[in-house]
Amino acid sequence: MWHHSAKGRPCLTRLIKGIKNTNPLRPVISNHHNSNKLPVSISCTSMATSALQQVTRVVVEPPSCLHDESVNISVDGLTPEDEVTLVASMTDTRGVLFMSFAHYKADGNGQVDVSTMESLGGSYRGVFTMGLLSSLLPALEKHKFTRFFKRDVENPNIVTVSVFQGHLSNEELVAEDRSEPLSTATHLRHYMAPGVQRIPVRYGKVRGCLFLPPGDGPFPGVVDMFGSAGGLLEYRSAQLASRGIASLALAFFAYDDLPKSLEEFNMAYFEEAVEFLLKHEKVISQGVGVIGTSKGGEIALEMAAFIPSVIACVAINASHVHFLVGMRVGEHLYPGMPLNNIHNVHIKDDGSVQLRGIGRIKDKELEKFLIPVERSNAAFLFIASNDDRNINSEYFVQKFCQRLSKHSYPKSYEVSSHPGSGHLLEPPYSPHCYASFQHSSMIAMVWGGTVKHHTGGQINAWNKTIEFFKHHIVQTGNLEDGGKNSTVHLRSNL
């Protein structure tokens, strides 16, 4: 609850295991109720005592929005030319605190506008409207290689934005004796728009979660997969549904009763997932799309190659070979390329591992590992990050296009390349992760990217993805007469 201290400063008090927590930069237990409605955000302002009794106020506008939307952050009521530090913080599903900070100097009116003014230091420099949210990193050194994960997509990310007097360092901001903020505001970022449905899926052997847009549909449908982190990640599917696309977040290992580790895949599992989606009354039944990142992108390409009803494929920083783990299609096994084919592995001073050397291997050595994308019935969108430090994404995209061109591929295929972006190219304003610990391989992997360029890549890739799916997954038929004799391009109603 909010209350005023003896000094007149409002602060947030929570009791956790008998310890009073009044520091907005430290994680607290949230009892935010589950709701599809966008709740009104909570904000708090503090009195900055001066001769004029000015009120310092942090404003985040809008106070509550979808996660792929931008916001404006500003401060007013400062003394002209004041040096201040703006801080954003939030905790992930595991309770790990993520934090970013930026140094600003107030203008002649005692105001700071993040969208127009330069950060003078901190987590980023220069004008960067969403810099505080995009540059969120683990606040403590012990969590250095932790990637931000949100498991509970029905509740929003709760971001605390505070302003402090002076230009403070990260160490000063996390210290027990740090100063109180001049003002604090709370901002809510939702993965699910009002009316989006989340439906857990246990269909045959398929394990996942279906997200449906509001309305009767039918909607374009896609299967959504992430990489070798495993488990079930739902946040991209929730955001796709918020933009008018029905999306099945599909797990393929380390979830429920699925295999605990990466092992030989069977295309029958992924065919069953497509079957489930096509049978749903709110999904267009003439074909589906697939989207995947890293290993998920590799599987998406394999699905496009072997499942005729996959008619649109978005592969994000994916290899053009079956990497490490093979794929069984019927009686045939397409083998996975072993680790001994990876060259130029680089171990950095902090112990993290960079694998960008994978890629430039002689074609003859790769032939038996190649994904036969030319067999596909799908349109392709290949998304490549130029600063991918995990795999050589641009090289792989070149190989895909050469292969399709060689076979006079009749369908559409296009490349979206993003300078300065890293391997983990997620929907807009997801915190940029340069490196993180990978449990499936038990090492800290370098993903690459610089925060400002990576954020730009997120925005561009996301917009292209939504446009691509809505263009290539179409309803053959008239929605009013049961679906016959016309073509309708469905568009988001958000």
Side-chain angles (χ1 to χ4, degrees):
M1 88 182 153
W2 294 100
H3 74 89
H4 287 271
S5 67
K7 294 183 180 180
R9 291 184 184 275
C11 59
L12 176 64
T13 301
R14 298 284 181 94
L15 292 178
I16 302 177
K17 296 181 180 179
I19 300 174
K20 184 181 290 186
N21 185 342
T22 60
N23 187 340
L25 299 183
R26 298 192 180 95
V28 295
I29 297 173
S30 172
N31 291 317
H32 186 79
H33 295 292
N34 181 4
S35 172
N36 277 337
K37 294 182 178 180
L38 298 183
V40 177
S41 98
I42 305 167
S43 64
C44 171
T45 59
S46 298
M47 294 296 295
T49 305
S50 70
L52 297 177
Q53 290 294 307
Q54 295 184 76
V55 177
T56 301
R57 185 175 64 129
V58 175
V59 177
V60 183
E61 185 61 38
S64 181
C65 67
L66 291 177
H67 208 281
D68 60 3
E69 295 176 340
S70 180
V71 297
N72 292 319
I73 300 173
S74 61
V75 184
D76 54 39
L78 298 168
T79 301
E81 313 300 324
D82 251 0
E83 291 186 344
V84 295
T85 300
L86 272 169
V87 180
S89 62
M90 68 178 177
T91 57
D92 73 355
T93 299
R94 299 157 293 191
V96 175
L97 176 66
F98 284 71
M99 187 184 79
S100 64
F101 67 102
H103 298 153
Y104 287 93
K105 187 174 183 179
D107 64 16
N109 296 317
Q111 298 177 332
V112 170
D113 185 344
V114 172
S115 66
T116 61
M117 297 173 69
E118 292 189 354
S119 166
L120 305 176
S123 301
Y124 61 91
R125 288 180 175 270
V127 178
F128 190 4
T129 299
M130 291 294 284
L132 282 170
L133 298 181
S134 295
S135 62
L136 285 160
L137 291 172
L140 303 179
E141 181 67 21
K142 67 179 181 179
H143 297 137
K144 179 178 180 180
F145 292 124
T146 301
R147 177 182 172 188
F148 184 87
F149 276 129
K150 177 71 169 179
R151 301 288 184 182
D152 177 15
V153 298
E154 292 182 288
N155 289 316
N157 283 328
I158 303 174
V159 184
T160 299
V161 182
S162 303
V163 60
F164 292 84
Q165 190 71 52
H167 287 171
L168 305 182
S169 66
N170 185 82
E171 290 73 20
E172 291 172 313
L173 288 166
V174 298
E176 292 290 335
D177 61 348
R178 65 150 178 79
S179 60
E180 288 293 314
L182 301 175
S183 176
T184 296
T186 303
H187 171 61
L188 307 181
R189 301 190 64 76
H190 298 260
Y191 291 104
M192 293 173 63
V196 169
Q197 297 180 63
R198 176 186 179 273
I199 306 169
V201 173
R202 291 178 66 89
Y203 176 83
K205 295 182 179 180
V206 174
R207 302 292 180 264
C209 196
L210 177 64
F211 290 83
L212 294 174
D216 296 330
F219 304 104
V222 304
V223 177
D224 172 28
M225 297 164 293
F226 280 89
S228 53
L232 180 64
L233 298 179
E234 302 177 9
Y235 52 88
R236 183 163 59 197
S237 283
Q239 291 174 272
L240 285 169
S242 296
R243 297 302 175 192
I245 298 171
S247 184
L248 172 63
L250 183 66
F252 51 89
F253 83 100
Y255 179 76
D256 199 56
D257 57 354
L258 296 174
K260 301 302 180 185
S261 60
L262 281 171
E263 56 185 52
E264 179 186 300
F265 296 123
N266 195 312
M267 186 56 65
Y269 175 77
F270 303 98
E271 285 181 308
E272 196 171 14
V274 170
E275 175 188 274
F276 164 79
L277 203 54
L278 288 174
K279 284 184 176 180
H280 200 284
E281 62 182 0
K282 289 191 175 183
V283 176
I284 292 172
S285 61
Q286 275 66 34
V288 302
V290 289
I291 180 172
T293 301
S294 192
K295 171 59 75 173
E298 180 185 315
I299 295 173
L301 291 162
E302 292 168 326
M303 291 174 68
F306 297 112
I307 304 176
S309 51
V310 172
I311 59 174
C313 175
V314 177
I316 304 171
N317 296 325
S319 167
H320 71 321
V321 299
H322 307 273
F323 181 60
L324 291 180
V325 180
M327 175 67 76
R328 184 168 295 279
V329 182
E331 298 299 318
H332 182 76
L333 175 64
Y334 290 84
M337 189 181 77
L339 279 171
N340 58 12
N341 284 79
I342 301 175
H343 305 286
N344 302 321
V345 175
H346 176 61
I347 301 176
K348 303 183 71 175
D349 292 341
D350 60 8
S352 57
V353 177
Q354 180 174 305
L355 295 179
R356 188 172 169 82
I358 180 175
R360 297 188 179 280
I361 303 170
K362 293 179 181 178
D363 287 345
K364 288 184 179 180
E365 298 177 27
L366 284 178
E367 191 62 37
K368 64 181 178 180
F369 305 118
L370 293 174
I371 300 172
V373 288
E374 71 280 359
R375 296 180 48 163
S376 176
N377 188 45
F380 288 102
L381 173 59
F382 300 111
I383 295 177
S385 294
N386 293 22
D387 194 36
D388 187 339
R389 301 298 178 91
N390 183 248
I391 64 173
N392 196 336
S393 298
E394 284 194 298
Y395 172 75
F396 288 142
V397 165
Q398 291 173 11
K399 302 302 289 185
F400 279 127
C401 292
Q402 289 172 7
R403 189 176 181 93
L404 292 174
S405 176
K406 177 182 177 181
H407 289 84
S408 301
Y409 191 69
K411 303 287 185 177
S412 166
Y413 58 95
E414 57 183 294
V415 175
S416 180
S417 184
H418 303 281
S421 294
H423 185 70
L424 298 179
L425 198 60
E426 300 180 294
Y429 315 122
S430 300
H432 169 234
C433 180
Y434 181 81
S436 67
F437 187 78
Q438 189 79 316
H439 288 277
S440 61
S441 56
M442 298 303 292
I443 55 176
M445 303 292 293
V446 177
W447 310 117
T450 58
V451 61
K452 187 176 289 189
H453 290 97
H454 189 84
T455 302
Q458 289 177 340
I459 296 167
N460 292 334
W462 183 242
N463 291 337
K464 282 183 176 292
T465 295
I466 293 171
E467 179 184 355
F468 176 83
F469 280 139
K470 290 184 177 181
H471 177 72
H472 289 285
I473 307 173
V474 298
Q475 172 70 56
T476 302
N478 188 306
L479 298 183
E480 295 181 356
D481 65 9
K484 298 180 181 179
N485 304 323
S486 70
T487 299
V488 178
H489 289 263
L490 293 171
R491 300 190 181 279
S492 171
N493 59 356
L494 299 177

